[in-house]
Each structure stands twice: as C-alpha cells, then as structure tokens.
Amino acid sequence: RFLFRPYKPVYFFPIFYHSKLNRLPTTDNPLTSVSEAQNLDHLEAKFQLSFKTKLVDGLVGRYGDLWLGYTQTSRWQIYNEKESRPFRETNHEPEFIFTLGTDYRLLGFDANLLSLSLNHQSNGQDEPLSRSWNRVILTVGLERPDWVVLLRPWWRIPETSDEEDENPNIVDYVGRAELLVVHRRSNSHQVSTRIRHSLKGGSDNRGSLDLNWSYPCFDRLRCHAQLFHGYGESLIDYNHETTVIGLGVNLIEWFE
C-alpha cells in the first residue's frame, strides 16, 4: 500500500505533429465555444506522466483492492516563439480503481483482472476552453505470454444540465469503449494498438486509432513512435478529427 507504481506509459515526444489544427475549439454549448482563432503551430511537444498506488488491500475477500491512479498528458507549443511557447492543453485524469483478481480462460487467454473505475478527466481551464467529464469504466484484462488485451467499456455520468455540459455528445466522438492490445516481441520491440469507438452507426460512427511502437535505444530509455487518427487526441479536441505523428522516448511501457 501507498507505494507509487507505474500505471500507463511515461513518455516525452519532442516531435508531435498535427495534420489539422483545432484553432477554433467549439461545441454545441455556446459557453464552451471560442470566437477568436488561436495562433498555433502544427509542430509541438507532448509528454505523459502516470502512476498508481494501492489504498486498501483486501477490500472484498483476498483479491479485492482499491487503487488511486493519476495520468497527466500535456501538449506544449514549445516551438511557438510568437506566443511565448505556451502549454496548449493539459489533461488531468485521476481515478479510483477497484480491482478484483479472476481466474478463468477465455479465447486462449488467462482472464486475470476485472476492475471498476470512477474516472474524472479535465483540462483545468476556464470557459470557453474548459472541458471535463466523469465516467464509470469497466475493465476486463486478458493475458498470455508477451500479450495483454484490455477491453474497457464505459458509461458517462450525466451532467445536471445542458448548460453545465462542457463537451456535449463527447461519447459520440471519443467513444463508449476501447480495446487495447499490447504485444512484446522477444527482441524487446513493443507494439500497442488502441481502438475507441462510439458503438453507433451512420453519422455517429466515430472513434480513433492509436498505434505505438517502442524499442530500447538509450540505456533505460526506449525510442517511441506514435500514430493517432480520429477524434479525442485531447479533451479540447474531443470533436475534432486529426492525424498526429509523435516521435520521442519513453521511460515506462505497458510491459516492464
């Protein structure tokens, strides 16, 4: 308990290039719609920090534990000298996670994890740039040697009124579930694929694809490449479709 442990990957991308900038973030809520275009560079930097710690051991039986997790991702306009190199967007994601160890086989995998999370995500800004939402996330974890599969459907906790909804219809863009598949090869290459989808068809058929590859290159550092396409690369861009390429290094991977 209370020992800080790795959670999600920890990385730094000095190269993070957007094919299509969201200079004028808008939503269906007038209070969270920008009226003046921002001066942004296509090229910026991005980094992610993430940790977790166990709060309660054996909350339900031998295997029911309560954890606190925190993940932060920042997009930094470090090359934008005209605007004094501002942080364009920082997303904070604290969550309480109840985990339950399981022991059964499914499709050739060991199903060793079932968890339920109360998740908050926000960017800490004032209107009209403020974005936030709350979710309850179910996670089913499957693994076998050198493979991990996480299936994560979620339910958004509704806002009390339309005026308080800073990102209307976010689940129709970011999605209602994600599938994460991580594979580590014997030569230390690690590849991950994350797919998010709205679970709807027609005009609401949206989501994202996030591909990552890493390889040991500098002592404990791993070279890391990322390709993202779709909606929700960050909260401010939840309803903005773009393709992004990131190049850099990481300290922590899914497999450690």
Side-chain angles (χ1 to χ4, degrees), residues 197-223:
H197 199 266
S198 63
L199 304 183
K200 282 191 172 183
S203 60
D204 291 328
N205 179 16
R206 307 185 187 97
S208 64
L209 175 66
D210 188 1
L211 302 174
N212 289 266
W213 166 84
S214 68
Y215 182 77
C217 54
F218 303 111
D219 196 13
R220 281 194 50 81
L221 294 178
R222 301 173 63 92
C223 293

Side-chain angles (χ1 to χ4, degrees), residues 116-162:
L116 195 66
S117 306
L118 179 60
N119 178 286
H120 170 78
Q121 189 178 30
S122 63
N123 64 359
Q125 300 206 52
D126 296 325
E127 293 178 351
L129 296 176
S130 179
R131 302 287 187 272
S132 67
W133 64 322
N134 300 294
R135 295 176 287 171
V136 176
I137 304 174
L138 175 68
T139 301
V140 178
L142 309 173
E143 65 179 0
R144 68 185 189 189
D146 294 328
W147 288 88
V148 167
V149 177
L150 297 179
L151 177 61
R152 306 177 75 226
W154 55 73
W155 173 72
R156 183 189 183 186
I157 300 175
E159 301 291 340
T160 56
S161 68
D162 291 342

